[in-house]
Amino acid sequence: MAKTNISIIGAGSAVFSLRLVSDLCKTVGLHGSKVTLMDIDESRLNSVHTLASRFTSEMNTELIFEKTTDLREAIKGSDFVINTALIGGHAFLDRMRSIGERHGYFRGIDSQEFNMVSDYYTLTNWNQLSHFLKVAQTMEELCPDAWLLQAANPVFEGTTLIRRNSRIKMVGFCHGHYDVFDVSEHLGLEKEHIDWQVAGVNHGIWMNRFRYKGEDAYPLLDRYIRESGQIQFKPKTPFNIQMSPASMEMYGFYGNMPIGDTVRNSGWKYHYNQETLEKWYGSPWGSPDSEPGWNWYKEQLGQITSATMGLAQAMTHFPQVSLATLISEGAKVFSGDVALEASRLYNPSEMSGEQHIPFIDAIVNDNKARFVVNVLNDGTIEGIEKDVAVEVPATVDSSGIHKEEISPKLPDRVIEWYLKPRVLRMEWALEAFMKRDPNLIVEILLKDPRTRSLEQAEAVVREIFGN
Ligand code: NAD
């Protein structure tokens, strides 16, 4: 059992905070460690701190949770820094989206070919990219040997940006690759007999290897597609789109199955309007990135934040009542998905699936495990520049990250028609940001099918960035 120092920046995050706290409590090898929670929103910070302290005492973990609103104080002395902060919050993203829509850009100007994910802003959220650099620079000064674990989006642009501008050790994480198991479940395959790899860039990963009991499993997928062709696709949630018509079509065109958020990150052909979205991603939402789909998601996030704050308040008012009882009582008030998430958090035998805490355990305790990581390419994917962040499988142990050889290689169609254009868009966005040049954003919009005139592109950029 090794003690280490971990700081979580943006610790009030609806998506991550309690999952990370709960994973820490369940990771015996990290018990005794110090965890510093940092957020600028004091009420969120206090709630997460109260819950974290209670989790740790009820689960007998001896983790020490501290809290601060000061970035430098959080980072000082850290061995691992997890960044989950969203600068400006969802309110900023909504405001940018609505300005874009007023100027004729359906779903806002940050929705771009191969980057449709609604909280993955690469063009307008320069504050987020600046914050990424600020975290890395502060680490260089105060804890130069520490690891930065990047959770906040955009992970692709962010990992590339930080690794090009800082010497800090860094890895980006996403959970999209787990949809490999959604594919295999639909085919009725047993998880332990699947041999798989995914490769690409964050939110643009492709299942280059798919074998079952030693045999190529792609023919099983082809048969499934032929047989299910007549059944109308009916998603259970906006995110339940791994086996959607969009995914099947992309597989047909690119030659490998797109995995996880890659299915959302298709082209405009699938995203023109709500009707098109529903055709490809199913009704009633038409993907998480439609207006109803994204509203559904924000409602879930709102419920998680309210549940976290409500639980922390209840703990203060009823200190004698156990956390398990409070969680099960609270779960009655919230939707099924939020209630399920709450019960998982407290279940000692179930990890959240986020990779951050197992990664720390692998590094600190040599608890070797397989991860899907975002790191610089350095020749792993042929045809992609060395200094571009790719998302690939790797083994991690106390000596670091060991990327797997990508075998078989990605099809040329994926490299030439998907990854290279996506990489180019990343380069454009980073250049516009580094030069703080809104004219470059106008240039990007001139290549956008929603642009009807130069005046339209200039007007939206003027309203967002000022003159
Ligand atoms: P959220 O708004 O609920 O949480 C973000 C937190 O950051 C808030 O508590 C906010 O107060 C805090 N914050 C804002 N400015 C800060 C600052 N300057 N310093 C410290 N903290 C600050 O957002 P969310 O929905 O939980 O998403 C958080 C991030 O995670 C987003 O970038 C989102 O896109 C990303 N995300 C990543 C993945 C992944 O797998 N990598 C999955 C989902 C979401």
Side-chain angles (χ1 to χ4, degrees), residues 267-432:
W268 279 108
K269 168 181 153 188
Y270 308 87
H271 285 259
Y272 283 129
N273 51 36
Q274 183 62 29
E275 194 188 341
T276 316
L277 281 163
E278 288 186 39
K279 174 182 163 194
W280 291 108
Y281 297 99
S283 294
W285 301 286
S287 94
D289 303 303
S290 66
E291 192 175 340
W294 197 246
N295 284 343
W296 180 96
Y297 180 60
K298 282 194 297 177
E299 165 78 13
Q300 298 279 311
L301 291 182
Q303 281 205 26
I304 292 172
T305 305
S306 314
T308 307
M309 292 184 147
L311 206 54
Q313 266 175 5
M315 252 172 226
T316 318
H317 286 118
F318 308 105
Q320 71 288 2
V321 181
S322 76
L323 186 56
T325 308
L326 289 174
I327 286 179
S328 65
E329 284 304 306
K332 292 176 189 160
V333 184
F334 294 101
S335 76
D337 287 339
V338 175
L340 186 66
E341 167 92 5
S343 67
R344 278 197 191 130
L345 289 176
Y346 201 66
N347 179 349
S349 58
E350 201 174 351
M351 294 289 279
S352 72
E354 299 294 350
Q355 301 184 90
H356 311 75
I357 306 305
F359 175 86
I360 297 175
D361 191 29
I363 295 278
V364 171
N365 295 312
D366 202 24
N367 204 351
K368 189 171 173 170
R370 190 184 198 217
F371 295 84
V372 173
V373 295
N374 286 266
V375 290
L376 287 188
N377 185 33
D378 273 332
T380 307
I381 299 182
E382 283 177 27
I384 301 298
E385 295 294 325
K386 278 182 162 188
D387 66 344
V388 167
V390 291
E391 187 165 301
V392 289
T395 302
V396 178
D397 56 25
S398 59
S399 63
I401 297 175
H402 312 285
K403 285 181 279 179
E404 293 177 10
E405 183 193 338
I406 299 307
S407 171
K409 287 178 191 161
L410 287 168
D412 285 349
R413 187 55 78 78
V414 167
I415 304 275
E416 301 297 331
W417 286 77
Y418 189 97
L419 291 179
K420 284 189 178 175
R422 177 66 184 95
V423 169
L424 190 60
R425 288 184 173 281
M426 175 276 290
E427 299 289 4
W428 289 344
L430 290 189
E431 185 177 344

Side-chain angles (χ1 to χ4, degrees), residues 82 106 111 115 124 137-138 159-160 239 249 306-307 312 378 463:
I82 306 177
F106 178 60
S111 289
N115 183 27
T124 61
Q137 282 152 4
T138 311
T159 308
T160 307
F239 286 86
E249 246 256 334
S306 314
D378 273 332
E463 187 167 348

Side-chain angles (χ1 to χ4, degrees), residues 179-247:
D179 276 346
V180 164
F181 301 116
D182 194 7
V183 177
S184 59
E185 225 173 82
H186 273 85
L187 306 188
L189 309 182
E190 293 159 35
K191 204 172 168 178
E192 60 276 20
H193 295 299
I194 305 164
D195 172 14
W196 61 274
Q197 271 190 338
V198 289
V201 300
N202 180 231
H203 290 188
I205 51 171
W206 303 83
M207 189 162 59
N208 61 304
R209 188 194 300 163
F210 185 36
R211 300 181 68 78
Y212 187 63
K213 295 186 175 172
E215 304 272 321
D216 183 9
Y218 263 114
L220 304 176
L221 177 60
D222 295 337
R223 195 177 69 202
Y224 173 89
I225 294 170
R226 274 195 310 276
E227 290 173 0
S228 65
Q230 306 308 317
I231 304 165
Q232 204 197 359
F233 178 68
K234 199 81 194 129
K236 291 188 213 78
T237 74
F239 286 86
N240 177 219
I241 56 170
Q242 179 58 60
M243 302 306 274
S244 63
S247 185

Side-chain angles (χ1 to χ4, degrees), residues 92-106:
F92 173 85
L93 307 183
D94 288 348
R95 194 155 57 79
M96 291 303 113
R97 187 175 295 116
S98 72
I99 293 175
E101 294 209 319
R102 255 191 287 117
H103 288 268
Y105 292 91
F106 178 60

Side-chain angles (χ1 to χ4, degrees), residues 244-271:
S244 63
S247 185
M248 303 307 169
E249 246 256 334
M250 289 170 81
Y251 165 45
F253 182 76
Y254 292 100
N256 272 175
M257 192 68 170
I259 294 296
D261 299 300
T262 316
V263 179
R264 300 160 72 181
N265 274 346
S266 50
W268 279 108
K269 168 181 153 188
Y270 308 87
H271 285 259

